Amino acid sequence: MIKTINRAGRREFMLAAGALAGASFFPKPARAQSAKIKLGLMLPYSGTFAQLGTAIENGLRLALDQGGGKLGGREVEFFKVDDESDPSKATDNANRLITRDKVDVLIGSVHSGVAMGMVKVARESGTLTLIPNAGADAATGPLCSSNVFRTSFSNWQPVHPLGKVMAGKGHKKAVFITWKYAAGEESLASFKEGFTAAGGEVVKELFLPFPNVEFQALLTEIAAIKPDAVACFFAGGGAVKFVKDYAAAGLKDKIPLYGSGFLTEGVLAAQGEAAEGLMTTLHYADSLDLPRNKSFRSAYAKTYKAEADVYSVQGYDTGLLLIQALGQVKGDVGNIKAVVTAMESAVIDSPRGQWKMSKAHNPVQDIYLRRVEKGDNKVIGVAWKALEDPARGCKLG
Ligand code: PHB
């Protein structure tokens, strides 16, 4: 039925029907080109990922400030919701930003489950949507959409090289431990794929509900299994507690711990000695020897009196992408088709190294092998050059 009505008619239909009120796949109702561009931030500002949400917003604001504070010549206005990393509130939160605040661009989120709710709304409404963290594979896989772009990673990406790294260190039997939700499960699947292909075996998969941090029973189980190594996905507050508990249980010196690099991002000061020596794979590292990284880190530290991390880089790159694309369309954010074309061909000169969008709208990027040394994520090498998510099931491009 929707297919049979024209663009303007479709909008009226939706408003009249009360279904997804205000959702418009196509140009917003004529707003003067001089009006502010509205950015809707749907990020966690509370809970275990609170710090991650703030880092993303900080990075985004830094990029915009450095770009003169405007997008395509237009002032910018922010609208924010705390998504609480709660998937059950995701659709309502996204709809609120779109229908109540009438944002031009939806930006979020951190949590994969929340992102899935957002992507659903983005696909139905046609709102231009940028994902500055959440790795949910489907967002740039079976549920990919021309109006949805990711500036971070897919869950498949950072851990894909980790199996090969661990097998290369002689580890044959590994335990994987994580939270039972999309990001944990997809990280495990990707790790298993890489580790098995390299001759390893995942002998046990251990889960706890998100965002629980009662690790004791599972650590006791790991001690009993005595694998060659442990791999994991944890992030934010949960990652602090896991790394400290792992060391406190006496496992750190007996069974080497690895992870996707989120394990040690933005949390090294809190983890302290317990994190020293941990090896992880990720699309960023503090110590990347790139002029762009150095200037970014010093500007970030000066502005926010905090160390930059992968989350702030992803926020920053979201800003760079907006600056580039909206500059190209001279601020005409309502011309989604032109904005999409601009984003598809953007080259992002990022602190993580230069990257471009894949056909499925996910960064094609280097994955670094890092080791924690004296409270820093030091780069040891490139674990995988220009890694592209397989985008299984995506029909774009
Ligand atoms: C996710 O839920 O996709 C997620 C959350 C935190 C991270 C990485 C991925 O650090």
Side-chain angles (χ1 to χ4, degrees):
M1 177 174 189
I2 282 175
K3 274 194 188 127
T4 64
I5 31 187
N6 67 26
R7 293 175 180 190
R10 179 183 178 208
R11 177 179 174 79
E12 273 154 25
F13 164 77
M14 287 179 126
L15 285 172
L20 272 173
S24 161
F25 191 77
F26 297 101
K28 304 269 167 202
R31 268 208 275 136
Q33 191 75 325
S34 57
K36 291 181 179 173
I37 290 186
K38 297 180 168 192
L39 302 183
L41 300 186
M42 189 169 146
L43 292 167
Y45 294 105
S46 58
T48 200
F49 290 160
Q51 198 189 321
L52 286 55
T54 301
I56 289 169
E57 181 180 342
N58 287 349
L60 171 63
R61 285 182 184 272
L62 181 62
L64 298 191
D65 287 349
Q66 288 179 343
K70 290 188 175 179
L71 287 172
R74 292 169 63 184
E75 305 269 344
V76 177
E77 191 173 5
F78 284 92
F79 294 82
K80 289 166 57 164
V81 288
D82 175 5
D83 68 34
E84 303 167 52
S85 293
D86 184 347
S88 73
K89 297 181 182 161
T91 351
D92 282 352
N93 281 334
N95 273 323
R96 194 169 316 140
L97 284 168
I98 293 170
T99 62
R100 184 193 63 189
D101 302 326
K102 309 216 167 4
V103 300
D104 297 297
V105 189
L106 188 57
I107 301 173
S109 178
V110 165
H111 183 286
S112 275
V114 173
M116 290 317 293
M118 260 189 66
V119 164
K120 187 169 163 279
V121 175
R123 283 165 63 90
E124 284 165 0
S125 66
T127 309
L128 184 64
T129 298
L130 304 180
I131 306 174
N133 185 72
D137 288 337
T140 54
L143 296 181
C144 69
S145 185
S146 60
N147 57 308
V148 176
F149 289 82
R150 180 149 51 197
T151 55
S152 50
F153 58 91
S154 71
N155 286 327
W156 179 90
Q157 266 179 320
V159 268
H160 179 70
L162 187 60
K164 198 165 143 203
V165 167
M166 288 172 58
K169 302 221 169 285
H171 305 312
K172 296 243 178 317
K173 292 185 188 301
V175 165
F176 198 95
I177 177 167
T178 187
W179 282 310
K180 183 104 187 136
Y181 85 107
E185 289 171 317
E186 291 175 355
S187 298
L188 162 62
S190 173
F191 170 74
K192 213 165 158 180
E193 200 179 290
F195 192 49
T196 311
E201 186 194 351
V202 175
V203 292
K204 185 84 188 175
E205 302 169 4
L206 297 172
F207 295 101
L208 66 170
F210 175 87
N212 280 17
V213 289
E214 300 311 317
F215 299 115
Q216 214 45 58
L218 299 177
L219 292 174
T220 306
E221 207 172 331
I222 290 173
I225 296 170
K226 296 192 182 62
D228 299 334
V230 171
C232 68
F233 163 82
F234 290 111
V240 175
K241 175 100 174 9
F242 181 70
V243 165
K244 289 183 122 176
D245 285 4
Y246 196 86
L251 293 174
K252 184 167 181 261
D253 300 324
K254 292 197 192 110
I255 307 171
L257 175 64
Y258 297 80
S260 57
F262 306 111
L263 187 66
T264 56
E265 280 298 309
V267 289
L268 279 175
Q271 289 167 335
E273 191 57 34
E276 281 296 304
L278 292 189
M279 289 177 84
T280 60
T281 45
L282 199 65
H283 49 288
Y284 179 68
D286 311 343
S287 70
L288 275 180
D289 192 14
L290 301 169
R292 193 78 172 105
N293 187 39
K294 288 181 179 153
S295 61
F296 163 74
R297 293 193 68 85
S298 70
Y300 190 93
K302 203 166 148 216
T303 310
Y304 301 110
K305 314 282 174 265
E307 288 290 319
D309 57 26
V310 72
Y311 309 106
S312 44
V313 170
Q314 293 165 176
Y316 190 71
D317 288 4
T318 305
L320 296 183
L321 180 65
L322 282 168
I323 290 169
Q324 232 180 89
L326 295 185
Q328 220 159 306
V329 301
K330 303 200 170 36
D332 189 5
V333 70
N335 187 350
I336 304 248
K337 201 160 171 253
V339 177
V340 165
T341 304
M343 289 192 170
E344 284 177 337
S345 55
V347 178
I348 304 299
D349 186 16
S350 164
R352 74 181 96 163
Q354 225 179 51
W355 63 267
K356 287 173 154 184
M357 289 289 173
S358 68
K359 287 203 170 66
H361 297 178
N362 189 68
V364 179
Q365 55 194 338
D366 294 347
I367 305 293
Y368 304 98
L369 175 62
R370 312 113 45 90
R371 183 170 47 223
V372 179
E373 282 175 21
K374 299 199 183 83
D376 238 0
N377 284 302
K378 283 268 178 307
V379 186
I380 303 183
V382 176
W384 208 292
K385 192 89 196 136
L387 186 60
E388 179 169 349
D389 180 86
R392 293 166 187 137
C394 173
K395 300 275 191 302
L396 282 180

